[in-house]
Amino acid sequence: PSTSLEIQDGLTTTGAVLTLSTKEPSVVANDVLGQINFQAPLDTGADSDLVGASIQALATATFSDTVNATDLILKTGASETATEKMRITSDGDVGIGLDDPAGKLHVKTTGVNYAALFETTDDSSSAAPDVALYRNSATPANGDDLGHLIWRGVETDGAGSPTLTRGNYADIFCEAQVVTTNSESGKMHLRTKKAGSMN
């Protein structure tokens, strides 16, 4: 049977609230604050259930009156276990396919398919889908970089047990040459790395 959560208090700014609260006297990093599971029986008539998906809140630091650092984790089922597919960190970073995003949005895949695909079903003459790089500066100036598309790969120091690091091999970026309204001018740069230097 379905279960609903309902409230009528005349406060449309609040609505119905479901609270999962731990009563532990102290909360430290990696403590689970609460979890919602979506599950079903393993087989018809089985006593145990299999978790198909879950939403979990995980503390990432010791809680105090001023610290409540928490990650929100979304898991979905695969091969009889629910594995992490998305994580929103306490500082607002979002990781898809990994638990330690290195930017505001970090997508990781182990396959050869697209890591990201933008598609529109619009059949008009408009140019779409669009991807915008917007530098929203309060003090724009001539010569500002407006954004980069970077091709990055793995580098090795060539030693017997090589140290692998990330490195940029090529990029395209736009420079604002003139930022005066109605006189705007821009310049595109295409660079590739040769002998360790971008050119």
Side-chain angles (χ1 to χ4, degrees):
S2 298
T3 300
S4 63
L5 179 65
E6 180 179 328
I7 188 172
Q8 292 181 345
D9 61 1
L11 300 176
T12 57
T13 57
T14 303
V17 177
L18 173 64
T19 300
L20 305 181
S21 178
T22 178
K23 295 301 182 182
E24 292 296 326
S26 63
V27 173
V28 299
N30 296 316
D31 280 354
V32 176
L33 301 181
Q35 180 167 313
I36 300 174
N37 288 340
F38 303 86
Q39 59 190 38
L42 288 170
D43 296 300
T44 302
D47 292 332
S48 56
D49 290 329
L50 182 67
V51 177
S54 69
I55 302 172
Q56 182 186 89
L58 183 71
T60 59
T62 299
F63 268 39
S64 68
D65 291 343
T66 58
V67 176
N68 62 341
T70 307
D71 286 1
L72 185 67
I73 302 169
L74 175 64
K75 298 181 180 182
T76 58
S79 302
E80 299 183 358
T81 59
T83 57
E84 182 173 331
K85 298 301 191 300
M86 177 182 287
R87 177 181 295 230
I88 303 174
T89 66
S90 56
D91 59 2
D93 293 345
V94 177
I96 300 177
L98 74 166
D99 60 8
D100 56 346
K104 285 300 177 185
L105 175 62
H106 188 166
V107 181
K108 181 179 180 179
T109 177
T110 58
V112 296
N113 294 327
Y114 303 115
L117 173 64
F118 303 93
E119 179 179 352
T120 180
T121 58
D122 177 34
D123 58 3
S124 70
S125 60
S126 301
D130 296 333
V131 177
L133 303 182
Y134 175 30
R135 180 171 181 176
N136 186 8
S137 171
T139 57
N142 297 347
D144 282 352
D145 281 0
L146 300 183
H148 290 242
L149 293 176
I150 300 172
W151 283 261
R152 176 172 289 178
V154 176
E155 299 175 339
T156 174
D157 60 11
S161 299
T163 300
L164 302 178
T165 58
R166 294 181 300 181
N168 297 344
Y169 284 82
D171 70 359
I172 298 174
F173 70 95
C174 177
E175 173 192 344
Q177 292 189 302
V178 178
V179 298
T180 305
T181 302
N182 297 324
S183 299
E184 305 92 343
S185 295
K187 183 179 181 181
M188 296 296 294
H189 298 256
L190 170 62
R191 304 188 302 179
T192 58
K193 182 172 283 186
K194 182 175 181 180
S197 299
M198 297 293 282
N199 299 277

